[in-house]
């Protein structure tokens, strides 16, 4: 009888992948663009965003140097609140109230997902 190996995702990878996706959303970076910067296929980037694969050292280097990404933001450091507040201020100046409400709602859903997954 063949045993089926259920591969569990490392919670740190899931957390970093979700934060990377949020960073991409906030900075209007398309998946194809980031995958090309990393030198990988979009399917491989999806594995990182979903937490199946970790963000490797060379990808961290690219995020830091090409995208000016604070890696504390990706790995759960102190930059969350500051980054969200800056994005809200920038967004508020650029879009209508209804679009602002949608953006805030999307960000709150994202943060709620993080809290739910931290308790699992």
């Amino acid at each position: 009888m063949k045993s089926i190996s259920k591969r569990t995702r490392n919670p740190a990878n899931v957390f970093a992948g979700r934060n990377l996706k949020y960073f991409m959303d906030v900075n209007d970076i398309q998946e194809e663009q980031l995958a090309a910067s990393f030198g990988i296929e979009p399917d491989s980037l999806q594995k990182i965003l979903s937490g199946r694969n970790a963000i490797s050292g060379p990808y961290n280097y690219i995020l830091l140097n090409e995208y000016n990404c604070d890696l504390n933001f990706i790995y759960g450091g102190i930059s969350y609140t500051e980054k969200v507040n800056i994005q809200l201020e920038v967004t508020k100046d650029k879009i209508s109230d209804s679009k602002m409400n949608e953006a805030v709602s999307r960000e709150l859903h994202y943060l709620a997902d993080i809290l739910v997954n931290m308790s699992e």
Side-chain angles (χ1 to χ4, degrees), residues 4 11 36 39 45 72 76 85 89 97 100 112:
I4 299 174
L45 179 61
N72 286 318
N85 286 337
E89 288 303 315
D97 287 340
M100 179 64 171

Side-chain angles (χ1 to χ4, degrees), residues 4-20:
I4 299 174
S5 169
K6 183 179 178 186
R7 184 174 173 197
T8 59
R9 297 178 188 177
N10 182 323
N13 292 347
V14 172
F15 189 74
R18 287 196 177 136
N19 290 344
L20 177 56

Side-chain angles (χ1 to χ4, degrees), residues 6-87:
K6 183 179 178 186
R7 184 174 173 197
T8 59
R9 297 178 188 177
N10 182 323
N13 292 347
V14 172
F15 189 74
R18 287 196 177 136
N19 290 344
L20 177 56
K21 182 158 180 48
Y22 181 63
F23 176 79
M24 291 168 59
D25 289 344
V26 166
N27 292 286
D28 199 28
I29 300 168
Q30 301 302 311
E31 288 184 20
E32 295 79 16
Q33 176 187 354
L34 189 60
S37 293
F38 286 175
I40 60 176
E41 295 294 321
D43 287 350
S44 296
L45 179 61
Q46 272 302 315
K47 289 178 182 177
I48 293 170
L49 296 176
S50 70
R52 284 187 299 226
N53 291 349
I55 304 171
S56 70
Y59 302 157
N60 285 321
Y61 182 84
I62 291 167
L63 288 169
L64 183 64
N65 291 293
E66 290 184 25
Y67 293 96
N68 198 30
C69 176
D70 180 351
L71 295 179
N72 286 318
F73 180 77
I74 300 297
Y75 294 104
I78 59 172
S79 297
Y80 270 117
T81 305
E82 179 184 338
K83 190 76 167 178
V84 170
N85 286 337
I86 290 169
Q87 182 59 31

Side-chain angles (χ1 to χ4, degrees), residues 97-115:
D97 287 340
S98 65
K99 292 286 185 186
M100 179 64 171
N101 289 342
E102 289 174 25
V104 169
S105 175
R106 188 173 56 248
E107 290 173 9
L108 290 173
H109 282 285
Y110 169 78
L111 293 172
D113 284 345
I114 289 173
L115 290 174

